[in-house]
Amino acid sequence: MQILKKPLVTEKMTALNEKGKYAFEVAKTANKVEIKKAVEKLYGVTVEKVSTMRVQGKLKVKNTKAGVVSGRKPSYKKAIVSLKEGEFIDFYSGI
């Protein structure tokens, strides 16, 4: 099972990067200890704190010839990881 699915690179999360906090989409069954170990192994940094939350998928509505079709985007789990002072993760190094 893959614990870290992808980093969340949004305007709000990029602002938190300056404070040493990074956000990841993680597996729904992952716990804080597993997330901490995965980030430390993958990026070679020291994690101080992990906060997790479950995010409900957004409601989507389409108007078609057959009528209104509504549904939801899939829900997911998000983790915000705080790093030790002075450490950072560079998501853009391979670009």
Side-chain angles (χ1 to χ4, degrees):
M1 176 181 77
Q2 185 179 2
I3 293 175
L4 298 177
K5 292 184 178 179
K6 64 180 181 180
L8 296 175
V9 184
T10 61
E11 192 172 342
K12 188 182 270 189
M13 290 301 131
T14 306
L16 283 177
N17 289 354
E18 297 169 6
K19 297 178 182 177
K21 295 183 180 184
Y22 297 87
F24 296 92
E25 184 178 329
V26 296
K28 285 187 179 181
T29 57
N31 61 35
K32 293 182 181 187
V33 176
E34 293 172 338
I35 295 166
K36 179 179 178 177
K37 287 179 182 176
V39 171
E40 287 177 344
K41 183 179 177 185
L42 186 63
Y43 295 105
V45 293
T46 306
V47 176
E48 285 191 339
K49 182 180 173 185
V50 178
S51 301
T52 60
M53 60 202 77
R54 296 186 76 134
V55 180
Q56 189 173 16
K58 291 184 178 179
L59 185 64
K60 295 290 182 177
V61 179
K62 275 193 242 181
N63 293 316
T64 63
K65 285 184 187 178
V68 178
V69 178
S70 63
R72 282 197 175 273
K73 291 275 211 170
S75 57
Y76 61 95
K77 189 172 189 177
K78 178 166 68 172
I80 298 178
V81 177
S82 300
L83 301 183
K84 189 177 177 183
E85 188 77 30
E87 294 189 356
F88 66 96
I89 297 174
D90 188 12
F91 293 129
Y92 307 107
S93 63
I95 296 176

